[in-house]
Amino acid sequence: MVAAVRRLKDNALSLMFLIMFVLSVCGQAVAGLLDYNDRQVAAGAEPVSLPDYVASSSFTVDVAENWQSEYLQFFLFIMMTVWLVQRGSPESKEPGEEGAESDEQQRVGRYAESSSPAWARAGGLRLWVLSNSLGLVMGAVFLLSWLAQSVAGQAAYNAGRLSDLRDPVSWSAYVTSPEFWNRSLQNWQSELLAVLSMVVLSIYLRQRGSPESKPVGAPHASTGVEG
């Protein structure tokens, strides 16, 4: 019992976000179904069930376009913070520390510790994969969700065109259309603004006890220091 409580406490942050994620997806499905059926009835069509709506291109494209913008944000932030710095931000390395850092700083190869991942002591491809695994996974999820958005978006877009008695378009025509890029860019701009706000506001503002903030009494110019 004590061990189970300890595990819950040790993983409370990820568990809380997982719960909120599941609840928000369920809420989106219900709200989306009501909105979809309202438009179906207004158009003289039959309403659909929740399972049919969740399996539809309309629901898939809405979910996928949000996922791809989120993972694009993380991918760009992870990769850019390797080489770019922002003085005073806890989200940045210190100026002058740009780059992938030495093996000693990264504790790989002969500098690996006994508790380090096994591949940190390896060389060649295994070390390269481990060294870039976070960016690779974030980038892969972005590309896969972008592909899912494009395929589901094409299906939803063509369904609307067919209901208007217009010819459907190909996948290549859809991903170069204003419809696709309007949906994509309206999500990208909000994610990029959120990252910009976090990087800049964390220079001057504080949140006591949060590792995303500098200590309350830290100078504004302190960089890479977390509370």
Side-chain angles (χ1 to χ4, degrees):
M1 181 64 179
V2 175
V5 172
R6 181 73 263 172
R7 282 196 295 272
L8 285 174
K9 291 183 69 174
D10 288 347
N11 297 281
L13 186 60
S14 57
L15 288 172
M16 180 56 68
F17 272 96
L18 176 61
I19 291 169
M20 291 191 295
F21 165 74
V22 171
L23 290 176
S24 64
V25 170
C26 293
Q28 178 187 355
V30 173
L33 172 67
L34 295 174
D35 178 63
Y36 183 82
N37 280 340
D38 184 62
R39 287 183 280 113
Q40 285 284 96
V41 172
E46 290 293 320
V48 301
S49 66
L50 181 61
D52 287 339
Y53 173 70
V54 170
S56 71
S57 58
S58 180
F59 178 75
T60 303
V61 69
D62 288 342
V63 171
E65 74 177 36
N66 283 301
W67 286 19
Q68 60 97 353
S69 63
E70 293 290 346
Y71 280 94
L72 174 65
Q73 171 199 162
F74 285 122
F75 173 73
L76 292 176
F77 189 62
I78 289 165
M79 302 309 296
M80 287 185 178
T81 51
V82 175
W83 302 100
L84 305 178
V85 298
Q86 175 59 59
R87 182 180 293 276
S89 176
E91 305 296 328
S92 168
K93 295 188 289 190
E94 286 277 5
E97 295 183 358
E98 298 89 340
E101 302 179 345
S102 67
D103 287 355
E104 183 177 6
Q105 289 173 302
Q106 289 292 310
R107 291 181 284 181
V108 299
R110 63 191 180 95
Y111 300 103
E113 301 172 351
S114 59
S115 58
S116 299
W119 283 18
R121 292 186 290 274
L125 180 61
R126 288 182 296 172
L127 179 58
W128 182 88
V129 170
L130 177 63
S131 299
N132 298 280
S133 54
L134 185 58
L136 288 170
V137 170
M138 291 294 183
V141 175
F142 161 68
L143 291 175
L144 290 173
S145 54
W146 179 88
L147 180 62
Q149 178 203 349
S150 67
V151 172
Q154 179 202 9
Y157 184 65
N158 281 338
R161 289 181 65 89
L162 290 171
S163 66
D164 295 334
L165 302 180
R166 294 188 294 169
D167 292 333
V169 300
S170 65
W171 179 83
S172 59
Y174 176 69
V175 297
T176 56
S177 69
E179 154 76 12
F180 177 78
W181 285 105
N182 178 54
R183 295 180 70 103
S184 296
L185 292 172
Q186 65 178 299
N187 283 290
W188 291 7
Q189 54 88 12
S190 63
E191 302 301 337
L192 297 173
L193 177 62
V195 174
L196 173 63
S197 300
M198 187 64 184
V199 169
V200 175
L201 292 178
S202 62
I203 299 173
Y204 304 103
L205 306 180
R206 309 285 191 271
Q207 181 56 57
R208 186 167 185 156
S210 174
E212 299 304 315
S213 167
K214 291 184 287 190
V216 177
H220 291 324
S222 296
T223 307
V225 178
E226 298 178 342

